[in-house]
Amino acid sequence: MLKELIHIVQQAGALLLTARGEKLDVTEKTGPRDLVTQYDTQIQEYLRSALMELLPEAGFLAEEAGFDRPDREKEWVFIVDPIDGTTNFIQGFQDCCVSVALAQRGAVRYGVVYAPFSQELYYAKQGEGAYLGGRRLSAPDRDLAHSLLLFGSGSYYRELVAPSLAIFSAAFPQVQDVRRFGSAALDLCYLAAGRAGVFYECRLCPWDYAAGSLIAREAGVNVTNLKGGELDLWAKDSVLAGTPAAYAAMKALTDRALAERSKT
Ligand code: LIP
């Protein structure tokens, strides 16, 4: 199954690369921060066709299809983001990827994330490790002071900008530095690869984090929501991820920052 998933995701990545130099038809979904192009749609349709051929009995949950498909009762469900980092893609940045997870009864069993511009292929099968290309990943457990912080600004959700910045203000003095790449799937893969120690975002969709959460966990990274609970695969959720020491420190300062906000 993993081999077939990798092939399909790489084919989707090749489709993304055909956009280079082409005119993008950009549509605003809920506003100027929530965008979609013809490539998001084309790639999603390719993925739906190829994945349904691979496992016809599976459900399909994807960004451009939304939550309205009654697939929740199915044993297997594909959770798909055809282009994670769509705004980057539109603006000409290369930090974007194709993200596909396959979940069984609410637990992610397979995750594949492919960044076609860098040709970085991350993948994992539950219980069998995470890989970047052919290299097995094991994230080093650094403290916050020696960790880069990755985060999402919550730009889609204006009501979350203040709590996002409250966490940022609490964390910035404690970490090595910060980066904001604009693709949660890649953020989680970068933690798995040991490039950063912690990541948070106050609200994401399951297709943003399903595959990356398994890849990160299989590399030794803790992945929860901001409350420390299991990520929801059927509704939007927050994400807090980090190698064990960095995660513990980040969780504590996040709890304090949000508790302080609740008093104002
Ligand atoms: C993106 C996420 C990113 C978040 C963006 C956007 P998309 O997903 O990966 O972490 O900050 O607002 O949600 O929309 O490019 O698939």
Side-chain angles (χ1 to χ4, degrees):
M1 175 60 77
L2 186 56
K3 183 182 169 194
E4 291 84 352
L5 287 175
I6 288 172
H7 174 72
I8 290 168
V9 172
Q10 287 183 308
Q11 291 294 101
L15 271 178
L16 201 157
L17 289 180
T18 64
R20 274 192 289 209
E22 297 297 321
K23 179 181 179 307
L24 297 181
D25 301 325
V26 180
T27 304
E28 293 187 5
K29 293 190 282 188
T30 60
R33 303 175 190 91
D34 187 9
L35 306 173
V36 63
T37 72
Q38 74 271 34
Y39 287 92
D40 296 82
T41 307
Q42 287 172 21
I43 292 170
Q44 181 165 295
E45 281 317 302
Y46 160 74
L47 287 168
R48 183 199 300 273
S49 172
L51 294 172
M52 290 298 100
E53 185 177 339
L54 177 63
L55 194 63
E57 66 271 26
F60 188 82
L61 176 62
E63 177 159 19
E64 308 317 329
F67 293 96
D68 60 352
R69 295 175 54 82
D71 291 338
R72 191 169 193 144
E73 74 288 350
K74 294 187 176 179
E75 179 181 5
W76 293 94
V77 180
F78 289 109
I79 305 173
V80 172
D81 196 337
I83 304 178
D84 190 52
T86 293
T87 302
N88 284 344
F89 171 63
I90 291 166
Q91 300 292 11
F93 290 102
Q94 297 193 348
D95 284 282
C96 55
C97 63
V98 179
S99 177
V100 172
L102 179 56
Q104 182 185 30
R105 298 190 195 93
V108 179
R109 304 293 186 206
Y110 298 89
V112 181
V113 173
Y114 179 52
F117 291 105
S118 66
Q119 296 186 8
E120 289 194 330
L121 174 68
Y122 297 87
Y123 56 91
K125 179 181 177 182
Q126 188 183 33
E128 298 187 16
Y131 292 82
L132 169 55
R135 176 166 65 93
R136 177 126 184 196
L137 298 178
S138 178
D141 189 11
R142 301 189 187 101
D143 60 16
L144 272 187
H146 298 86
S147 294
L148 284 177
L149 166 67
L150 311 183
F151 74 107
S153 53
S155 59
Y156 282 4
Y157 312 104
R158 305 316 280 171
E159 73 278 14
L160 293 179
V161 172
S164 297
L165 295 180
I167 296 169
F168 180 91
S169 301
F172 185 60
Q174 309 299 325
V175 298
Q176 184 180 53
D177 202 344
V178 299
R179 300 287 186 273
R180 180 354 183 199
F181 286 107
S183 164
L186 286 178
D187 289 327
L188 289 165
C189 289
Y190 294 159
L191 264 61
R195 297 175 183 171
V198 281
F199 165 71
Y200 78 92
E201 189 149 0
C202 289
R203 184 177 299 156
L204 286 163
C205 293
W207 43 80
D208 294 320
Y209 52 72
S213 64
L214 177 66
I215 293 163
R217 285 176 176 144
E218 288 293 319
V221 176
N222 294 344
V223 186
T224 68
N225 58 28
L226 283 174
K227 294 177 181 173
E230 189 54 48
L231 294 179
D232 193 327
L233 294 183
W234 284 101
K236 296 177 182 178
D237 206 346
S238 58
V239 179
L240 177 64
T243 50
Y247 174 91
M250 188 70 191
K251 180 70 171 59
L253 72 84
T254 297
D255 290 347
R256 286 194 301 272
L258 295 180
E260 283 302 312
R261 262 191 54 77
S262 67
K263 294 174 187 171
T264 56

